[in-house]
Amino acid sequence: MNYLEEAFANLKLDQVEELNQRAQEESAETKPTASPSLTPREYQYEIFKEAVKQNTIAVLDTGAGKTLISVMLIKHMRAIENEKCRASSTYKRKITFFLVERVPLVFQQASVLEANCDARIEKLCGEMNVDVWSLEKWRSILDNVDICVMTAQIFLDILQRAFLSLDEVNLLIFDECHHAVKNHAFNLIMYQFYHSIVAPHRLPKVFGMTASPVFSTKKDIYTSIRHCIGN
């Protein structure tokens, strides 16, 4: 049993650490080695709480633990999905998409999620020839996964080919979201699909992460952030 997955949303920081310790003790009884523990610092927990309430961009230095915040948010959203599945046998579980800029980041970020999330995780990149996959191939994956880690261009492609709808997504995570300008896939996902949805309850939650919010003008900063997080 993963205590964090079930109860993270309303916990205080000291409770998080206590429950995490209990989860580690339980897992140690059945596994040779325990997964890395989730021990968020106070600023990480504060950002997590804000991300639960609304679409958020975390601007933190490299090594400051942005990915841990995303893990916490993923666990929170999975707890919501689990509850909806328990409440209705006909509910179709939604998927979390962790979108990155470069192929090496697919495997780097997926390894963190695999170590900390008890979930079905799929790693996808262009080298797997995904651009020639059929609808049936895509559905065989999407219908049997909880988290997809992929380059943003792949996600944009499957939206444009109507292999996936944002209705099926509960959380979009944009890694290195400062790239969300002009014709970058991050930006096109938001412009072409996210902002075209008029019913707020159908929108997935958005969490952006960056260590480099570098833009040419203040207007660029405002426009990119507003469209990236959908606020």
Side-chain angles (χ1 to χ4, degrees):
M1 175 180 181
N2 191 320
Y3 293 96
L4 290 174
E5 184 171 312
E6 295 296 328
F8 223 140
N10 298 314
L11 295 180
K12 295 181 179 179
L13 194 57
D14 56 346
Q15 291 175 301
V16 169
E17 295 175 350
E18 177 185 351
L19 292 179
N20 183 64
Q21 180 61 35
R22 288 164 59 189
Q24 291 295 324
E25 290 172 356
E26 279 198 0
S27 64
E29 296 177 0
T30 57
K31 298 180 181 179
T33 57
S35 298
S37 62
L38 286 173
T39 52
R41 295 180 181 273
E42 186 172 359
Y43 70 86
Q44 292 170 314
Y45 184 61
E46 290 302 317
I47 295 172
F48 160 73
K49 289 195 298 182
E50 192 66 24
V52 167
K53 292 187 293 185
Q54 63 181 353
N55 292 348
T56 301
I57 289 181
V59 182
L60 294 170
D61 290 339
T62 300
K66 296 183 292 295
T67 302
L68 175 55
I69 301 169
S70 71
V71 168
M72 295 162 65
L73 189 57
I74 288 171
K75 286 177 173 285
H76 170 75
M77 298 304 294
R78 275 183 48 73
I80 293 174
E81 290 298 303
N82 290 341
E83 184 59 34
K84 289 180 178 179
C85 287
R86 283 192 290 265
S88 172
S89 60
T90 60
Y91 178 76
K92 181 175 173 58
R93 185 183 293 273
K94 295 188 177 184
I95 310 167
T96 291
F97 285 86
F98 196 118
L99 307 181
V100 301
E101 163 71 4
R102 295 172 288 113
V103 171
L105 290 172
V106 171
F107 300 94
Q108 176 183 319
Q109 298 291 27
S111 67
V112 176
L113 300 184
E114 288 169 342
N116 290 287
C117 297
D118 181 16
R120 299 169 297 175
I121 300 173
E122 191 74 40
K123 302 180 286 287
L124 299 168
C125 59
E127 283 74 1
M128 301 166 68
N129 293 321
V130 297
D131 55 327
V132 299
W133 285 1
S134 65
L135 171 61
E136 291 73 19
K137 171 67 173 179
W138 273 109
R139 292 316 313 184
S140 70
I141 293 174
L142 298 175
D143 291 341
N144 295 283
V145 71
D146 300 308
I147 306 167
C148 280
V149 186
M150 60 175 61
T151 53
Q153 186 61 53
I154 294 176
F155 186 73
L156 177 61
D157 289 345
I158 60 175
L159 288 175
Q160 291 175 336
R161 297 171 71 185
F163 289 173
L164 175 77
S165 167
L166 285 185
D167 287 354
E168 302 176 73
V169 182
N170 65 354
L171 173 63
L172 278 176
I173 297 175
F174 291 88
D175 190 25
E176 297 186 343
C177 67
H178 55 276
H179 291 290
V181 293
K182 299 182 179 179
N183 291 323
H184 189 279
F186 284 164
N187 212 30
L188 296 180
I189 289 165
M190 299 304 289
Y191 268 109
Q192 294 181 5
F193 295 94
Y194 189 94
H195 291 293
S196 67
I197 297 177
V198 295
H201 69 277
R202 295 173 54 199
L203 292 171
K205 186 176 291 296
V206 178
F207 181 62
M209 305 186 296
T210 181
S212 308
V214 179
F215 304 87
S216 59
T217 67
K218 289 183 178 179
K219 182 179 179 181
D220 288 341
I221 296 174
Y222 172 77
T223 301
S224 183
I225 288 179
R226 180 168 63 87
H227 284 282
C228 184
I229 66 175
N231 284 346

